[in-house]
Amino acid sequence: CVFTGIISSLPRMLVFLMMASLHVFAEDMQKNREREAARAVIMRTVPSLAASPEKLHLETIEKEDGYDVFETKASGGVLTIRGSSGTALCRGFYDFLKTNRLGMVSWENKDIRWPAQLPDTAPRRIVSPFRNHYYFNVVTYGYTMPYWTWERWEKEIDWMALHGINMPLALVATEGIAVRVWKQLGLTEKEIEELNSITSVKKLLLHSCCAPCSSHVISFLTKYFDITILYYNPNISPRSEYEKRKQEQ
């Protein structure tokens, strides 16, 4: 194409500089999106800040050896938060909130006592001891979440961001992941389509976490589905109990 021809005719150094500029531009866009997302979380947490956005200043900084970091400081009524990611910015805000006894946010409610004028505070810098902060597991995910509205999901996502969660388990899009794996294994589109084809009896992958509680569910669903059971729960101990429940399943 014309674009390819133009690129190929340019000196290599110029092409390199163009690609590097595009990479930096993309990184800046991502950082800006994360800052604005963090700002939105903070404004939802403390609605009074939305009326005075000049009292909140957010900056993006680099991670420390690959670990998230945040810095907070209040001066002249303005709260400045510097963080290495959108999650770090939110976590920095919540740390400031709790450290200065201005409130807390729980799963069910929040108690915020945001002052009309912030007192000056000393600079505070926290580096996360972990790269990933894990949330949910195969047992808790899915009991009530399929029935959540976006308002409830937004509340949960805000809670995760404020508490520094950057790796929530989400058991979704498994079909898309399966397609990618099959392609990597060399299957053709036709073969993948045949694997995904719907037969007269629909197939159902059912996760069972403890065996006994799924007995009635299985007996009921077998009337409508060809069921494959995924029995998995590393929380069951000792091993003999795990094996006993697996056999019962």
Side-chain angles (χ1 to χ4, degrees):
C1 66
V2 176
F3 179 76
T4 304
I6 294 173
I7 291 295
S8 61
S9 65
L10 293 174
R12 288 185 177 181
M13 182 56 70
L14 181 56
V15 173
F16 174 78
L17 291 174
M18 289 174 60
M19 298 302 293
S21 298
L22 287 172
H23 178 71
V24 171
F25 178 70
E27 281 191 338
D28 287 343
M29 287 186 63
Q30 177 63 22
K31 290 177 180 178
N32 184 62
R33 281 196 294 266
E34 291 199 22
R35 277 197 304 271
E36 293 310 305
R39 185 183 303 277
V41 172
I42 294 170
M43 297 300 183
R44 284 193 292 271
T45 305
V46 184
S48 60
L49 271 175
S52 305
E54 71 281 358
K55 293 184 178 181
L56 176 66
H57 181 65
L58 303 180
E59 296 179 19
T60 304
I61 59 178
E62 295 299 318
K63 293 186 176 185
E64 185 169 305
D65 297 327
Y67 293 84
D68 262 336
V69 56
F70 66 78
E71 300 172 354
T72 60
K73 178 184 178 181
S75 178
V78 177
L79 172 60
T80 298
I81 307 174
R82 305 174 73 226
S84 55
S85 66
T87 304
L89 288 168
C90 292
R91 183 69 185 92
F93 173 75
Y94 192 50
D95 178 83
F96 178 86
L97 201 68
K98 294 197 303 178
T99 300
N100 294 280
R101 300 178 181 180
L102 298 176
M104 65 177 295
V105 179
S106 70
W107 280 296
E108 297 300 327
N109 210 339
K110 62 182 180 180
D111 180 18
I112 308 294
R113 299 175 293 279
W114 195 259
Q117 178 69 23
L118 277 178
D120 290 353
T121 62
R124 177 175 168 86
R125 177 182 171 88
I126 300 293
V127 180
S128 171
F130 308 105
R131 280 189 167 84
N132 297 310
H133 296 260
Y134 179 81
Y135 184 53
F136 296 145
N137 60 46
V138 294
V139 177
T140 60
Y141 184 90
Y143 280 152
T144 59
M145 292 176 182
Y147 308 99
W148 283 3
T149 61
W150 166 244
E151 182 181 6
R152 179 63 184 86
W153 265 114
E154 186 177 61
K155 181 179 178 182
E156 188 75 13
I157 294 170
D158 285 356
W159 184 95
M160 286 191 281
L162 292 171
H163 288 78
I165 304 300
N166 61 1
M167 198 175 79
L169 174 66
L171 302 176
V172 294
T174 53
E175 297 87 352
I177 294 172
V179 169
R180 293 180 190 177
V181 172
W182 288 330
K183 285 183 177 179
Q184 290 175 2
L185 292 174
L187 273 69
T188 65
E189 292 285 351
K190 183 178 180 181
E191 289 171 329
I192 293 173
E193 185 178 343
E194 290 175 353
L195 285 171
N196 282 329
S197 63
I198 300 176
T199 60
S200 56
V201 179
K202 294 183 179 180
K203 296 182 181 297
L204 176 67
L205 177 63
L206 180 66
H207 170 236
S208 174
C209 63
C210 54
C213 65
S214 62
S215 301
H216 176 70
V217 174
I218 294 172
S219 62
F220 176 79
L221 290 177
T222 49
K223 303 173 186 176
Y224 309 98
F225 298 96
D226 177 10
I227 298 177
T228 299
I229 297 173
L230 170 62
Y231 179 66
Y232 176 74
N233 186 354
N235 295 318
I236 295 177
S237 182
R239 179 74 185 187
S240 57
E241 178 65 20
Y242 179 90
E243 292 296 335
K244 184 188 298 183
R245 293 180 180 229
K246 186 172 70 172
Q247 292 301 321
E248 177 65 22
Q249 185 70 82

